[in-house]
Amino acid sequence: MNLADLIEKKRFVGREFLVWLWFESEILEGRLSTRGGKSCELFLESKITLVQEKEKSQLDGAVPASSPEAHEALRQGKMPTKAKLRVTRGEFEYSFVYAADTMALSTVKLPAVVREETDEQFYERMYLLEELEAQFDALYAEFAALRISALWDSEIVPMMRAWVHGKDVDLAVYRRTRGRVAPLGGGKSTHEEAEVDTDAPVVEARQVA
Amino acid sequence: MGALKGSISFTKFKARGELPEGFRDTFIERLRLRAFRPLSPLEDAPQSVGWCSIENLLDLEIDHGKVYFETYLNIGLRIDTWVIPGSLFKAHFAEAEREHLAKKGREKLGRQEKEELKAVVTKRLRAQLMPVSKLIDLSWNLDTGAVRFWSQSARLHELLDEIFEDTFKLTLLPESPYTTAARLGLSELESNVFAELKPTAFHVAVF
């Protein structure tokens, strides 16, 4: 499969990442952890769009992702394509709309920018934005490693299906399972980016499917 | 809305390829070569695309001070397009057609004549109108290669692809679930596994 196909044909993974964020946010009461010291609070809020082929559900409200309608949409096989997220890391709070297929962020609200000079304001905006992206990268590194591991189908998906159907999830078992898979890049700072198409070292203890 | 102030909505790309030696000067020269050139009603081109200062779309004098913000290259992509409202064009064309037929003493225009008259009317109307201008910010972190483009339109991404490669001799790789995973570190084996992934059915009630 060439690169263009990998980009186009694997866009569904972005939707699964959004389901996973939703799942973790609900079962872990918003407290998401990543290796490499990057942990945050993450909540889905005010807007979520779910689709299945041509059928679309757009839910608005205070916390629509927690509504029975949103879970019912998941049970019908709909997948989220867009959601408004709130991420808090230390004293920084962000809100933004995440588009799952392109992994694009829009209407990003940054923590208050205090500088007034144009140049200074730009550096501060970029710093805050790159911090958010690094956080999001760290979460995606955790998810993607799980997604390509043998544990995804055997352990993680059954727990996520239970959550979709309103059943209890054993948190201790989930945490233990998640901890068995090292994140992509070993949880290193995402500012140190690997080049696409190069062979990064195989992460220790990652068992691929 | 943009990199310097206002709402933040962008699409992220990664610039692929090595930065050439002395790239700061080279890039300024190349940006000047592809700087925005205003549309002329006397020319046929329906659109003009080129670089301008990120702070002012009227500022077409590109220099180091306006472009480099420490490790960032910030530039505006200006796109001007002639937009003639359909009803206005139709009315002016009908008038021109009547005049032309009366002058020639005929009842109907030939296909070739019709096309020529359309071009004449278009030029006449363009001379009375201002093109629609759009400025889209681009901010490129030269250390990490991350390029943020303040638009989520696929059509504008195509325009960007073309002018970015033409200007900088580097290609843009869009952020996507696969490219993000690869950027974060996929081994060859993991990349192959990723390529074989099939959608998960979360709704299936099997516990």
Side-chain angles (χ1 to χ4, degrees):
Chain A
M1 199 180 287
N2 64 32
L3 187 56
D5 280 346
L6 281 166
I7 290 171
E8 288 308 319
K9 292 181 179 166
K10 301 300 159 188
R11 291 204 187 276
F12 69 85
V13 176
R15 298 181 184 194
E16 295 187 3
F17 174 47
L18 190 46
V19 176
W20 178 80
L21 288 174
W22 183 0
F23 164 73
E24 284 225 333
S25 175
E26 285 204 356
I27 65 162
L28 302 172
E29 295 176 340
R31 288 187 289 276
L32 275 60
S33 63
T34 61
R35 265 61 66 96
K38 289 189 170 66
S39 297
C40 65
E41 285 191 5
L42 184 146
F43 294 96
L44 280 74
E45 60 176 22
S46 77
K47 206 170 275 183
I48 185 165
T49 305
L50 300 106
V51 300
Q52 186 183 32
E53 291 172 9
K54 286 180 184 169
E55 243 184 274
K56 184 169 164 183
S57 305
Q58 190 162 322
L59 305 169
D60 301 297
V63 194
S66 302
S67 66
E69 291 86 352
H71 282 263
E72 179 54 32
L74 273 181
R75 280 194 288 278
Q76 290 169 359
K78 289 182 181 159
M79 290 290 282
T81 53
K82 208 175 254 194
K84 188 167 182 194
L85 306 179
R86 180 161 53 85
V87 170
T88 309
R89 188 164 162 235
E91 59 188 27
F92 291 161
E93 184 174 293
Y94 302 86
S95 78
F96 56 92
V97 173
Y98 168 73
D101 293 355
T102 54
M103 301 191 86
L105 308 183
S106 59
T107 53
V108 181
K109 282 201 180 127
L110 297 174
V113 173
V114 293
R115 318 243 188 227
E116 287 180 4
E117 288 292 317
T118 306
D119 287 6
E120 290 302 314
Q121 195 183 50
F122 168 74
Y123 297 129
E124 186 152 346
R125 279 161 72 86
M126 283 300 124
Y127 167 74
L128 292 168
L129 193 55
E130 286 176 356
E131 282 293 300
L132 171 63
E133 288 176 341
Q135 180 65 60
F136 223 59
D137 276 353
L139 288 166
Y140 187 70
E142 297 280 347
F143 162 77
L146 277 176
R147 184 63 185 84
I148 57 172
S149 81
L151 296 178
W152 179 258
D153 286 333
S154 63
E155 308 278 334
I156 302 291
V157 171
M159 285 188 262
M160 291 179 74
R161 282 177 176 157
W163 164 76
V164 166
H165 288 272
K167 311 276 184 207
D168 287 337
V169 174
D170 188 326
L171 282 184
V173 173
Y174 176 70
R175 283 201 172 100
R176 207 164 43 243
T177 309
R178 190 185 188 282
R180 285 165 60 192
V181 181
L184 296 185
K188 71 178 181 185
S189 162
T190 48
H191 290 304
E192 303 159 29
E193 294 167 345
E195 275 293 324
V196 175
D197 289 337
T198 59
D199 291 344
V202 176
V203 174
E204 186 187 358
R206 184 157 344 116
Q207 180 194 2
V208 292
Chain B
M1 143 171 160
L4 304 183
K5 56 187 172 188
S7 165
I8 298 179
S9 295
F10 60 92
T11 306
K12 201 171 160 191
F13 298 85
K14 177 143 177 116
R16 301 174 85 196
E18 290 291 314
L19 296 176
E21 205 171 313
F23 67 87
R24 283 181 180 259
D25 292 335
T26 313
F27 284 175
I28 293 294
E29 285 165 23
R30 291 186 191 160
L31 283 166
R32 284 176 181 153
L33 286 174
R34 285 307 313 261
F36 178 80
R37 284 179 180 76
L39 282 169
S40 162
L42 303 175
E43 294 168 6
D44 290 336
Q47 188 175 63
S48 178
V49 181
W51 304 111
C52 65
S53 160
I54 197 169
E55 294 188 60
N56 179 3
L57 61 79
L58 299 177
D59 185 355
L60 308 178
E61 299 294 319
I62 293 168
D63 64 35
H64 285 71
K66 292 172 192 169
V67 169
Y68 292 114
F69 288 56
E70 294 183 5
T71 58
Y72 295 89
L73 183 155
N74 290 341
I75 193 80
L77 184 66
R78 179 170 163 185
I79 302 166
D80 277 18
T81 312
W82 288 116
V83 180
I84 301 173
S87 55
L88 186 70
F89 181 82
K90 213 171 161 185
H92 279 267
F93 180 76
E95 197 174 270
E97 188 180 30
R98 269 196 307 274
E99 282 173 12
H100 186 80
L101 291 173
K103 204 167 148 187
K104 299 274 177 187
R106 294 192 358 239
E107 286 187 0
K108 208 176 166 198
L109 290 178
R111 187 180 289 178
Q112 177 77 14
E113 266 179 318
K114 204 169 181 177
E115 289 309 310
E116 283 169 9
L117 197 57
K118 272 185 182 175
V120 169
V121 172
T122 302
K123 278 188 181 167
R124 201 186 296 158
L125 287 174
R126 282 178 179 178
Q128 296 171 47
L129 296 168
M130 289 287 283
V132 174
S133 295
K134 195 189 274 278
L135 171 68
I136 303 149
D137 288 3
L138 181 146
S139 183
W140 178 5
N141 184 332
L142 296 161
D143 278 353
T144 64
V147 174
R148 295 179 185 85
F149 184 60
W150 259 251
S151 164
Q152 297 190 341
S153 149
R155 193 181 60 79
L156 295 182
H157 293 167
E158 282 176 23
L159 281 180
L160 173 69
D161 267 346
E162 198 179 306
I163 193 169
F164 190 92
E165 188 171 353
D166 189 37
T167 307
F168 302 108
K169 314 298 176 206
L170 299 170
T171 54
L172 287 175
L173 190 64
E175 192 88 327
S176 72
Y178 173 75
T179 51
T180 304
R183 173 169 60 77
L184 295 172
L186 282 180
S187 68
E188 194 178 346
L189 172 64
E190 290 164 344
S191 187
N192 292 338
V193 174
F194 202 110
E196 296 301 319
L197 292 179
K198 301 278 183 289
T200 307
F202 293 109
H203 61 290
V204 178
V206 182
F207 324 118

